[in-house]
Amino acid sequence: MRVVAWRHAAAVLITAFAVLPIVFVVSAALNPAGTLSSSGLLPRGAGFGNLVRLVEETPFWTWYRNSVVVSGLTAVPAVAVSALAAYAFSRFRFAGRRAGLVTLLVIQAFPQFLAIVPLYVIFSAISDNWPVFGLNSVWGVVLLYVGGQVGVNTWLIKGFFDSIPTELDDAMRIDGCTHNQAFVRVVLPLAAPVLAISALLVFIATINEFLIASVFLTGDDARTLAVGLFGLLADQRNANFGMFAAGTLLTAAPTVLVFQFLQRYIVHGLTAGAVKG
């Protein structure tokens, strides 16, 4: 009984630790005063004034659209390129294969922002010739995010591809299929769970990314949610905290919707991975 009591107490503490910050943010978003100093776990009154101010006084929906577009456009090519690279590393044996895998792994040990200065110089030059891929461009940031996500997702997807029997590929080629046809018709359908997980991870990483977006997206029409909401606190942290809290709650909506859409693939992937082999 004593052990069970300690387990329940630990569960309550862990749950409170996880839930209290969310309760505080919800309370701050509903707080009519809208300031940090007046916020608490229980708001003194409740209303949607902070949300109305956020929509009317800031280009919030532009930031929202930019974040969803950038995250969606990053997830699709990042997963596609990673799947192609993972299939090559998993199924083929070629010179430099091991060195390539090790290089991808080592690169992931260094944060992407370490290269932010040379990247900024490169994109400044690109802006002079191809503005659509330069600074203050959604497409330019998408290219940066895709490059940063390919390495880790290649390793993630390759591990799943390694668990798919190569005999399936061989059987398809005996029937006259090419490597491309075997990849599209056999490997990709079987790898749908890991592709869904990879897409979700990329979406979450990019919609919450701040540092690169704050450097490469400085115009009001190009800012993402992370950059725009940070600007609210940078100007008047106390006065705009209610607006910031309301914005953060709405920021979670796309991630929840994507998770719900991919949930059946994720659950299937976790259970299949547990019994694989």
Side-chain angles (χ1 to χ4, degrees):
M1 292 296 295
R2 185 175 299 178
V3 174
V4 174
W6 277 109
R7 289 178 179 176
H8 281 79
V12 170
L13 290 176
I14 294 173
T15 303
F17 182 80
V19 171
L20 286 180
I22 300 176
V23 174
F24 178 79
V25 172
V26 173
S27 174
L30 298 177
N31 180 19
T35 61
L36 176 60
S37 58
S38 63
S39 299
L41 290 179
L42 297 177
R44 301 174 182 176
F48 297 99
N50 293 317
L51 178 60
V52 174
R53 286 181 56 205
L54 179 66
V55 173
E56 293 181 349
E57 299 178 11
T58 67
F60 175 77
W61 293 120
T62 300
W63 302 341
Y64 205 91
R65 180 198 64 204
N66 292 340
S67 290
V68 174
V69 169
V70 168
S71 300
L73 291 178
T74 301
V76 174
V79 173
V81 174
S82 300
L84 291 171
Y87 183 73
F89 282 122
S90 176
R91 290 298 193 262
F92 301 114
R93 298 298 180 265
F94 51 88
R97 172 181 174 275
R98 184 177 180 83
L101 285 171
V102 173
T103 300
L104 285 176
L105 184 62
V106 171
I107 290 176
Q108 300 310 307
F110 299 93
Q112 192 176 11
F113 69 81
L114 291 179
I116 202 166
V117 173
L119 287 174
Y120 187 85
V121 173
I122 292 172
F123 275 80
S124 296
I126 292 176
S127 297
D128 298 333
N129 300 287
W130 300 286
V132 69
F133 294 107
L135 299 175
N136 278 324
S137 166
V138 169
W139 292 104
V141 173
V142 167
L143 289 177
L144 280 174
Y145 287 158
V146 169
Q149 295 292 330
V150 165
V152 63
N153 285 284
T154 297
W155 269 95
L156 176 65
I157 298 173
K158 176 189 175 297
F160 196 92
F161 283 175
D162 289 341
S163 66
I164 299 176
T166 58
E167 289 80 3
L168 296 176
D169 303 49
D170 297 336
M172 290 289 291
R173 288 196 296 273
I174 291 174
D175 291 338
C177 291
T178 63
H179 283 291
N180 292 336
Q181 291 173 327
F183 173 68
V184 173
R185 298 181 180 181
V186 177
V187 178
L188 280 186
L190 293 176
V194 74
L195 298 180
I197 294 172
S198 181
L200 178 63
L201 294 177
V202 173
F203 189 89
I204 293 174
T206 51
I207 202 170
N208 293 320
E209 202 281 327
F210 168 75
L211 186 61
I212 291 178
S214 65
V215 174
F216 289 87
L217 300 175
T218 56
D220 288 337
D221 293 337
R223 290 178 180 175
T224 57
L225 277 170
V227 181
L229 293 177
F230 175 80
L232 295 178
L233 295 185
D235 295 335
Q236 297 180 6
R237 177 173 300 180
N238 184 60
N240 294 334
F241 188 77
M243 298 167 59
F244 174 82
T248 56
L249 291 178
L250 292 177
T251 303
T255 303
V256 173
L257 292 176
V258 172
F259 179 81
Q260 291 296 326
F261 177 74
L262 299 175
Q263 186 178 21
R264 61 192 181 99
Y265 297 105
I266 296 172
V267 172
H268 176 71
L270 293 175
T271 55
V275 299
K276 182 69 68 174

